[in-house]
Amino acid sequence: METGLQNRVAIVAASSQGIGRATAEGFAAEGCGLAICARKREALNAVAEKIRSQYGAEVMAEAFDVADAGAVRDFVNSVVGRFGGVDICVTNAGGPPAKGFLATTIEEWKRAVEVNFMSAVYFAHEVIPHMQKKKWGRIITVTSITTKQPVADLVYSNAVRAAVVGLVKSLANEFGKDGILVNNVGPGFTATDRLKELARSRSASSGKSEEEIFDGWAADTALKRLGEPRELADTIVWLASERASYITGQTVLVDGGLYKGL
Ligand SMILES: NC(=O)c1ccc[n+]([C@@H]2O[C@H](COP(=O)([O-])OP(=O)(O)OC[C@H]3O[C@@H](n4cnc5c(N)ncnc54)[C@H](OP(=O)(O)O)[C@@H]3O)[C@@H](O)[C@H]2O)c1
């Protein structure tokens, strides 16, 4: 399948491991110039080096927190300075803590809003003017199945990620005329470090072993297994490609049939 992504410039946020990293590799494999970020510099630089040597891709890597508006602005400016523009922006960040409502704190609510919602606002705000100049762009937010179906004890995610969907739909409506397509991808249970962290927390609160927790999650899907980061990445790369040129304002779940609704 010809994706038409050769020489496109892709930002993939929060990409030193997990879904972000797999997505960065997916764009590198398609011949894109790549800009990646995460907070821990050493791990990020190691991933950048690996992607350069494996795919021959040009990779820019900068360590910062996506909840820092100024850092996002500086990063996008550096990407444009180095590559001459930006075509694709995948917003992503670490997930919020797993908690029921009465265990939440105001500080954590504010942090969840900053990390899992405002970061998408910051990136969109910076990249859209560059995409408008080219009359072509793709913004893809990585959120969660919680945008369609709340998950027990993930109240921060259940609440805050809904705002991202509202943002995605609004941007899709406002900037479709400029050739900018905006979509949201919602992972189900995907085998990454984040899921191990959730299993640990669920195990501590339920008394079940982590293995039982993983088995239960897999059993809850139609496909009876967890997802792989590459399966998320393939969907994101496809949404950015010319093969998905009439899709905008949508949430695509990559969840193995975990979502129970029609
Ligand atoms: N895995 C799942 O089953 C699943 C299911 C539903 C939704 N999701 C959501 O999908 C997203 C990606 O999940 P994942 O499983 O790939 O997570 P992960 O394995 O924990 O990886 C998170 C990545 O984001 C970076 N990161 C975290 N916070 C950041 C910040 N504030 N600024 C910059 N970089 C940051 C991390 O590096 P540093 O620590 O160095 O910053 C790391 O590279 C998360 O929002 C997660 O909640 C995941």
Side-chain angles (χ1 to χ4, degrees), residues 50 71 91 106 125 134 154-155 182 189 194 198 226 244 255:
K50 202 140 188 230
T91 70
I106 301 302
H125 199 262
K134 290 191 172 185
L154 281 184
V155 66
V182 189
F189 296 120
R194 161 73 176 169
L198 286 183
L226 303 180
D255 71 343

Side-chain angles (χ1 to χ4, degrees), residues 47-226:
V47 167
E49 196 42 50
K50 202 140 188 230
I51 295 177
R52 283 185 201 107
S53 63
Q54 191 168 346
Y55 300 95
E58 186 173 349
V59 185
M60 187 182 134
E62 274 183 28
F64 64 92
D65 188 330
V66 294
D68 178 342
V72 172
R73 187 179 54 241
D74 291 348
F75 180 61
V76 173
N77 285 339
S78 304
V79 173
V80 172
R82 176 154 169 181
F83 292 98
V86 54
D87 301 303
I88 298 158
C89 180
V90 179
T91 70
N92 185 31
K99 293 196 172 169
F101 181 69
L102 290 180
T104 63
T105 68
I106 301 302
E107 278 317 303
E108 282 182 348
W109 275 109
K110 288 181 178 168
R111 178 73 183 157
V113 169
E114 279 294 328
V115 172
N116 297 112
F117 173 60
M118 288 309 295
S119 66
V121 173
Y122 300 149
F123 271 105
H125 199 262
E126 297 306 322
V127 300
I128 285 172
H130 298 290
M131 293 174 174
Q132 281 179 309
K133 277 187 206 146
K134 290 191 172 185
K135 288 276 171 202
W136 197 98
R138 301 283 193 265
I139 298 173
I140 298 162
T141 57
V142 177
T143 57
S144 172
I145 179 149
T146 59
T147 53
K148 292 275 187 192
Q149 177 172 285
V151 174
D153 290 338
L154 281 184
V155 66
Y156 293 122
S157 181
N158 296 338
V160 171
R161 296 200 194 270
V164 180
V165 178
L167 176 73
V168 162
K169 198 71 183 166
S170 305
L171 298 180
N173 288 342
E174 189 169 347
F175 299 106
K177 65 177 181 358
D178 298 319
I180 302 172
L181 278 54
V182 189
N183 289 292
N184 172 46
V185 170
F189 296 120
T190 312
T192 68
D193 285 1
R194 161 73 176 169
L195 202 63
K196 287 183 198 154
E197 187 186 303
L198 286 183
R200 265 195 299 277
S201 139
R202 209 44 80 75
S203 169
S205 61
S206 68
K208 290 184 184 167
S209 70
E210 287 178 33
E211 201 182 344
E212 283 172 302
I213 303 286
F214 279 118
D215 288 348
W217 283 333
D220 216 14
T221 68
L223 298 183
K224 306 299 173 203
R225 66 173 178 84
L226 303 180

Side-chain angles (χ1 to χ4, degrees), residues 32-54:
C32 294
L34 200 57
I36 63 176
C37 69
R39 289 163 304 176
K40 297 185 209 90
R41 188 178 308 275
E42 211 173 305
L44 179 72
N45 286 341
V47 167
E49 196 42 50
K50 202 140 188 230
I51 295 177
R52 283 185 201 107
S53 63
Q54 191 168 346

